[in-house]
Amino acid sequence: MKVAYWPGCVSRGFTSELHGSMAAVAPMLNIELVELDRANCCGAGVIAEHSQELADTLNARTFALAQQEITQGADLMMNICSTCQGAQSECQQRLDASADYRAQVNETLSDEGLEYQDGIINKNFLWVLVEDIGLDKLKTLVRNPLTDLRVGPFYGCYIVRPTDRLDINRDQPRDEYLGQVIEALGGTVIDYAGSHKCCGFPIITMNKAASLEQAGRHLGDAVDADADCLVTPCPLCHLNLDLQQPMAAKQVGRELNMPVLHLPQLVGLALGISPDDLGLQHHIVKPTSVIDWSQAVVGGVGGW
Amino acid sequence: MAEFKLKIRRYDPQSGAAPYWDEHTVELEPHRSVLEGILQARNEKDGSIGVRCSCRAAICGSCGVRVNGKPGLACHTHLDDALASAGEDGVIEVEPMGNMPIIKDLIVDMDAVHWKKIQRVTPWLIGKEPVPEREYIVSRESMIDVTQSMACIQCGACVSDCLSMEVDPLFIGPAALAKTYRFVGDPRDAAHEQRLKDLGEDKHGIYDCTHCFKCIEACPKGVAPMNQIMRLRRIAGNDFHIKDRNNGERHEMAFVKNIEKNGILHEADLLPDSYGGKFHPRAVPELISSLPIVMTALLRRKMTPAKALLHPHRAPDGVKKIYEIVEGRDERNEFNLYISGTDADNEPNPEVAAAAEVAEPAAVAPDGSEGSSA
Ligand code: SF4
Ligand code: SF4
Ligand code: SF4
Ligand code: SF4
Ligand code: FES
């Protein structure tokens, strides 16, 4: 399949290993990525907090650019960030609701010759994996099943709430997909209290203690549940859970050492890509448990 | 009639005994409520089960509990729906709400948390002076707007699941902040700025919400507290330029400007700018405290020095133009779904329209002009 691909900002900045690992797994899953390199940040909810119209217009611009690719054969728009998914879905809900409002927004875009038409399909990589590629197909592609790897899912708020806007329901349990993917890859799903909670990132500059307390608590719960690592489809969660983990550990007063993988990295490991090629060495918390696992399986890939 | 298994969490803090789970089978029609199930268990099996209720019709807000981990009204949750969301064993789990101390079993202390916070936000209208002689005319839009927060029945379900309150019990919280918007969104209230200033100066006020959507998901009345909090922030920052103690407004503006300049987020500038720029006195301790992390990040080549210092990206002209137009407007153009509804909602109902058409000719004069000038 071919997708109009919005990698997001953080995946090209602080978590560049995410963008890299997505690029590495895409061809193996037969996904052609057409990068929307002229598109702009979704605003992560913060721009909407300042001005809804500004956020809606910026995202309408990204959608319009994606729709140009879709008319040229892309199947849908894909993102790799829970926060992009949530922030963009929120704007889309308003844009799709009213033709009058859409016309106002398109008026602003007209200078650039862009126009957003309602009804774009924009999915996180996680949803594409389950709904478009399919778990059965995914299973057939696994070369190194994640046998004995104990993985805790961490979704990020924006991809699980609000359920009506995100079309999460009994027939489409998008808030259970991470577990389903971990299982399809041969791993063991770890149930712990924090899987659907907030990592605390949005208030890191506003109430640092509370923010780190959240991250630290969820990581601690995962440690107590004997997880080898966490996996997340959200680079912002990754910032609070990995980059800030040393501070979070101080905040909650305990050792954590919990590696946090980006979703494409976990998929890549199971598809047989080496940890190095997936950028695992760039993480703040060394994913030793994951590397040990992969060495036990393939007899020492990567050589670290 | 069908059988339902209820697992109720029991706890009596005065007894000194640890909490435990208690299982009862009840027999009721599937469309009956979880509350009726609990009451049947209490009336027929164990009179000591503690539960609070009154209206049994989703009006009084006294029966808030968690059903299978999700907060809501026991009287407003059908047994068959509860069964559908139960685990594989088909047992419906009923627990007290979170973030509040337990008085007994399913009864939590609403006074200690919820009501205290509601009182904290001056939950009444402060009228304008001089008092108008006749009724105060309020626009239809602002009336509908505040009805959303007025719909609150004070059940505490949002408070139960608030993720900021879980780590910061002093956070004023979703219900009380939704209540604040009920007055800040009311054109008759005279104290908008004071209210917002007060909540900006409180470190546990409007900028302590972590934007987790839990309260939106929890509320049985569609109040969407988080949306009201975002409105409060918008009004505080844009209309009153309130500088809050959490740096929330500054962070928001730093982010907005960052995207205007770069098109995509340039994180290395965001942190210092959120504290007022690299050389602002507040930024210095923040940056020093994050130095060890930045160093590790550099070592792991997460950040390259170039990435941290240079601007690899410039905003496309289209983005600049959007900022120019939207930020240049005299008045905020805010599309509120709650007020406007969707085009699909507003489409005339075909049946009603057909009925109106039948009735229509009567109103049309014989010459075809509308109404009659006679
Ligand atoms: S959510 Fe993050 S990564 Fe996604 S576009 Fe926004 S700032 Fe960028
Ligand atoms: S967990 Fe935090 S960073 Fe991740 S999506 Fe939720 S609010 Fe955002
Ligand atoms: S969105 Fe804010 S107020 Fe609502 S539950 Fe989350 S942290 Fe609490
Ligand atoms: S806002 Fe909703 S959930 Fe919160 S107390 Fe009011 S009615 Fe209950
Ligand atoms: S008993 Fe009144 S709301 Fe449930």
Side-chain angles (χ1 to χ4, degrees), chain A residues 14 17 41 48-50 53 97 99 104 111-112 158 161 163 197 206-208 247 282-284, chain B residues 166 208 211-212 217 233-234 238 246 252 263 265 267 286 289 293 300 302 318 321 327 329 333 343:
Chain A
F14 276 6
E17 69 278 0
C41 171
E49 200 176 284
H50 165 74
E53 191 197 1
Q104 291 167 24
D111 261 7
E112 232 187 325
Y158 277 81
R161 284 180 293 274
T163 45
K197 290 190 178 174
M206 302 183 217
N207 185 343
K208 200 175 194 171
M247 309 250 269
H282 296 311
H283 292 196
I284 295 299
Chain B
E166 193 176 285
D208 201 17
H211 206 282
C212 71
E217 208 54 29
R233 287 187 185 177
R234 221 148 30 230
N238 294 356
N246 301 61
E252 182 186 304
L265 188 66
E267 307 107 317
E286 271 314 315
S289 79
I293 294 212
R300 300 278 156 82
K302 222 179 174 17
K321 189 81 202 173
E327 294 286 86
R329 292 202 202 287
N333 175 14
D343 285 349

Side-chain angles (χ1 to χ4, degrees), chain B residues 35 53-63 73-75 153:
Chain B
L35 178 63
C53 67
S54 172
C55 72
R56 307 191 194 183
I59 296 166
C60 72
S62 51
C63 66
L73 302 172
C75 74
I153 57 169

Side-chain angles (χ1 to χ4, degrees), chain A residues 199-216:
Chain A
C199 66
F201 182 77
I203 50 171
I204 187 77
T205 62
M206 302 183 217
N207 185 343
K208 200 175 194 171
S211 173
L212 294 173
E213 182 81 28
Q214 298 192 53

Side-chain angles (χ1 to χ4, degrees), chain A residues 6 9-10 12-17 37-41 43-54 56-58 61 90 93-94 96-102 104 107-109 111-112 157-158 161-165 170 175 196-198 200-208 210-211 213-214 217-218 238-239 242-247 262 281-286, chain B residues 70 80-81 84-85 163-164 166-168 203-204 207-214 216-217 226-227 230-231 233-234 238 244-249 251-253 255-256 259 263-268 270-271 274-275 282 286 289-290 292-294 296-297 300-303 307 313 316-319 321-323 325-327 329 331-337 341-344:
Chain A
W6 170 240
C9 317
V10 179
R12 288 175 286 177
F14 276 6
T15 65
S16 50
E17 69 278 0
D37 47 10
R38 282 168 58 219
N40 46 262
C41 171
V46 183
I47 291 185
E49 200 176 284
H50 165 74
S51 156
Q52 266 186 6
E53 191 197 1
L54 186 58
D56 292 348
T57 314
L58 286 169
R61 181 176 176 276
E90 182 181 332
Q93 190 183 32
R94 284 191 290 266
D96 285 1
S98 156
D100 286 346
Y101 182 56
R102 208 158 51 241
Q104 291 167 24
E107 169 71 34
T108 311
L109 296 182
D111 261 7
E112 232 187 325
C157 311
Y158 277 81
R161 284 180 293 274
T163 45
D164 53 350
R165 183 191 293 150
R170 258 171 239 161
D175 52 351
H196 292 69
K197 290 190 178 174
C198 181
F201 182 77
I203 50 171
I204 187 77
T205 62
M206 302 183 217
N207 185 343
K208 200 175 194 171
S211 173
E213 182 81 28
Q214 298 192 53
R217 228 183 242 208
H218 309 327
H238 199 267
L239 289 180
D242 179 64
L243 186 71
Q244 302 273 19
Q245 193 176 123
M247 309 250 269
H262 300 285
Q281 69 279 24
H282 296 311
H283 292 196
I284 295 299
V285 180
K286 286 210 164 186
Chain B
K70 292 210 160 133
D80 51 355
D81 289 335
S85 69
L163 292 181
S164 273
E166 193 176 285
V167 290
D168 177 9
K203 281 210 83 156
H204 311 278
Y207 289 98
D208 201 17
C209 156
T210 187
H211 206 282
C212 71
F213 303 91
K214 273 275 191 181
I216 298 186
E217 208 54 29
M226 187 188 97
N227 293 355
M230 294 308 135
R231 290 198 178 105
R233 287 187 185 177
R234 221 148 30 230
N238 294 356
D244 56 283
R245 294 213 2 230
N246 301 61
N247 257 317
E249 193 260 355
H251 171 71
E252 182 186 304
M253 285 320 292
F255 195 107
V256 171
I259 306 305
I264 63 173
L265 188 66
H266 188 269
E267 307 107 317
L270 185 62
L271 182 63
S274 294
Y275 293 99
R282 279 205 61 170
E286 271 314 315
S289 79
S290 57
I293 294 212
V294 173
T296 335
R300 300 278 156 82
R301 281 180 296 131
K302 222 179 174 17
M303 258 187 263
K307 219 183 255 169
H313 210 269
D317 290 342
V319 171
K321 189 81 202 173
I322 292 173
Y323 269 80
I325 297 177
V326 177
E327 294 286 86
R329 292 202 202 287
E331 251 181 60
R332 195 161 48 234
N333 175 14
E334 196 169 313
F335 177 72
N336 184 330
L337 255 177
T342 65
D343 285 349

Side-chain angles (χ1 to χ4, degrees), chain A residues 118-181:
Chain A
D118 57 323
I120 190 170
I121 298 176
N122 172 30
K123 289 186 184 184
N124 185 274
F125 173 54
L126 175 63
W127 298 356
V128 169
L129 266 181
V130 177
E131 294 166 10
D132 298 275
I133 293 172
L135 294 170
D136 290 333
K137 172 82 187 162
L138 184 62
K139 279 182 202 156
T140 64
L141 297 171
V142 170
R143 281 180 48 207
N144 293 334
L146 305 177
T147 319
D148 298 331
L149 192 67
R150 300 167 56 85
V151 189
F154 193 93
Y155 287 85
C157 311
Y158 277 81
I159 205 173
V160 287
R161 284 180 293 274
T163 45
D164 53 350
R165 183 191 293 150
L166 298 170
D167 285 325
I168 298 173
N169 47 55
R170 258 171 239 161
D171 301 326
Q172 195 166 263
R174 289 175 159 173
D175 52 351
E176 294 169 16
Y177 282 1
L178 269 180
Q180 296 177 0
V181 168

